[in-house]
Amino acid sequence: MSALPISEREAASSVAEPWQVADGMLVADYATSNMVRGGEFVARIIDAAEDLNHHPDIDIRYSSVYLALMTHSVGALTELDVDLANAISKIAAELGLT
């Protein structure tokens, strides 16, 4: 896991849907069906973020969770963002979220 900048193209090709690059960040919006399910998802994301010592911006709504990743200390996308996005994708798959 490196905090060296990577290109937006490299970041986009290293993650699966629903992740995409927008405004220099990796972003995703997951449907969670309700706030409780969203809370469970966010709690697992927090654990993964702590493990990587890299933290996403999270917007939790009644039936969705919106996430944005960028390495703020570098001011660009890095492998840390890709690693966390892929960890979040795995959590979402385990929870059956889209």
Side-chain angles (χ1 to χ4, degrees):
M1 291 174 274
S2 172
L4 295 175
I6 60 173
S7 71
E8 290 184 5
R9 178 177 287 178
E10 186 178 357
S13 69
S14 300
V15 294
E17 293 215 7
W19 290 99
Q20 60 184 330
V21 175
D23 297 323
M25 296 181 287
L26 278 173
V27 298
D29 195 9
Y30 285 92
T32 58
S33 73
N34 61 56
M35 183 72 72
V36 171
R37 191 72 162 160
E40 292 170 354
F41 183 39
V42 169
R44 297 219 18 220
I45 291 169
I46 290 168
D47 289 340
E50 286 297 307
D51 287 345
L52 292 173
N53 193 30
H54 191 61
H55 305 91
D57 293 332
I58 301 172
D59 180 6
I60 184 170
R61 301 295 173 113
Y62 177 75
S63 62
S64 66
V65 173
Y66 176 82
L67 300 146
L69 298 170
M70 182 189 61
T71 305
H72 297 285
S73 62
V74 176
L77 290 168
T78 69
E79 289 178 12
L80 288 170
D81 301 302
V82 169
D83 291 344
L84 184 54
N86 287 326
I88 292 169
S89 292
K90 182 179 177 186
I91 293 165
E94 289 169 359
L95 294 174
L97 304 178
T98 58

